[in-house]
Amino acid sequence: MISADCPKESAVPPRKDSQFTRRDLLRTAALGLATLPFLPLGAFSERDKERLFAEPARVPYAGSDDALLDEVERAAFDFMWNEAGANTGQVKDRALLSGNDPRRIASIAATGFGLSSLCIGEARSYRQKEEIIERVRTTLRFLWQKLHHEHGFYFHFIDANSGERLWKCEISSIDTSLLLCGVLTARQHFADAEIQDLATKIYERVDWTWMLNGGKAFSMGWHPESGFLDARWEHYCELMMIYLLAMGSPTHPVPAEAWKAWTRPSVEFQGLKYVSGNDPLFTHQYSQAWFDFRGKRDADANYFENSTNATKAHKQFCLSLRDEFPDYSDYLWGVTASDSAAGYQAWGGPPRLGKLDGSIVPCAAGGSLPFLYPDCVQVLRTIRERYGKAWGKYGFVDAFNPLTNWYNPDVLGIDLGITMLMAENQRSGFVWNTFMKNKEAQRGMEKAGFQTQHA
């Protein structure tokens, strides 16, 4: 619940779901408490389901798949540009699909995606170069000079205009890492002395050993009121970026042994076997938006191929639910942590996670474009052609349900961000190629034992 002293939006009542993170929901699910109840479609007869769902007519999209992805990227760039504090550069956690959103809740994770999107936008001339460079400078100046930090780590949610902490949220290790990936991408892309200097200082200020809190695995965060969170990053998920950034640090590195501090559980589904926790699909996407694992492996896995298998398994998992959710098909599938008609959900599979209801989450396919391109781009094209309400000023809605005709009014910065970055990686490899020029990223992967995998 939002506490009594939580800052309120001036024109929009606070959403019941807006303060919960993906990890909050996953921890809650692990305790058997997750999400509000749904009436599953399995409770209906076949005739009822046919009456509830009829696939909309197709309105052909005239452009190529590449043209569609360019539209997706331009729309996401517009979100990152418009929905950021003018004097801070901090990107909103969410906004209305139609824009003109008065809410002021920013997240440092969205800002990390935003910085990377500014690099893409400059490379693709989505806006004037000098405008974009000045926005990057503004963002980095605020991060270095004004935004509160603890040992270089930042609060998860802040006011987009002032930087004030919201909801007594945590100092977050994963969200700071997402931010730093954007910071280091900007450092490499822009040949600007101030950007490069500020980015270096922001990254080198982070005291990674502090976040270990005496353990081998990183804490998920820290509260001024109560200290470190008990939960740690100790099984495979989106965590790889934290360890690689920390191992590559020139100022506060953690030892190479830290790469073995987290477990690599195995999942098998319909003949596909891969490393994964009991987590949604986004956990296979986030680190790989920046770190390029193609053709490389450590002692345990080729993580790019691993995410490819996870995406294949997720598609098959969705298709296995067709008796329950008849909207799922070979060209319409994908559920990852997102909004829902009942609030924010950490859902997906395999194995089945959360109270699934037949919703479609576009960033599930969008964030997996490089892993399973033909299948994923077909999902995006299908949504564009058959579900007009799922597309707007900022691209695809965060989630929608074809079975109930529910369309989320919002988009989320991190979900637009992962779709934009992975679309660009699929099209040109730009984010991978830019970020991996950072010697710290290279050092982190070397210390983790990554080697080129020969055919």
Side-chain angles (χ1 to χ4, degrees), residues 77-135:
F77 177 86
D78 286 345
F79 170 90
M80 302 297 182
W81 185 266
N82 297 333
E83 305 299 337
N87 298 318
T88 69
Q90 304 307 298
V91 178
K92 290 182 184 178
D93 174 62
R94 63 171 63 233
L96 293 169
L97 173 67
S98 58
N100 299 313
D101 194 315
R103 287 174 287 186
R104 293 163 51 183
I105 303 159
S107 81
I108 58 170
T111 301
F113 280 111
L115 284 167
S116 299
S117 79
L118 292 173
C119 299
I120 297 170
E122 192 279 327
R124 289 200 174 270
S125 301
Y126 289 166
R127 203 171 183 93
Q128 291 296 317
K129 179 176 182 177
E130 191 51 46
E131 283 186 292
I132 293 176
I133 289 176
E134 190 54 40
R135 173 65 64 85

Side-chain angles (χ1 to χ4, degrees), residues 187-207:
R187 186 182 73 174
Q188 279 302 320
H189 179 65
F190 294 104
D192 179 89
E194 183 182 8
I195 288 174
Q196 293 174 352
D197 177 62
L198 288 170
T200 299
K201 291 192 291 190
I202 290 165
Y203 172 61
E204 293 186 353
R205 179 171 62 183
V206 180
D207 184 355

Side-chain angles (χ1 to χ4, degrees), residues 15 17 94-98 103 338-344 359-362 389-392 395-401 405-412 415:
R15 292 175 58 91
D17 54 345
R94 63 171 63 233
L96 293 169
L97 173 67
S98 58
R103 287 174 287 186
S338 72
D339 280 353
S340 77
Y344 197 81
S359 289
I360 298 292
V361 183
K389 292 180 182 178
W391 177 267
F396 292 114
V397 295
D398 192 58
F400 68 102
N401 192 327
N405 202 34
W406 172 80
Y407 290 84
N408 186 24
D410 283 358
V411 290
L412 270 64
D415 291 347

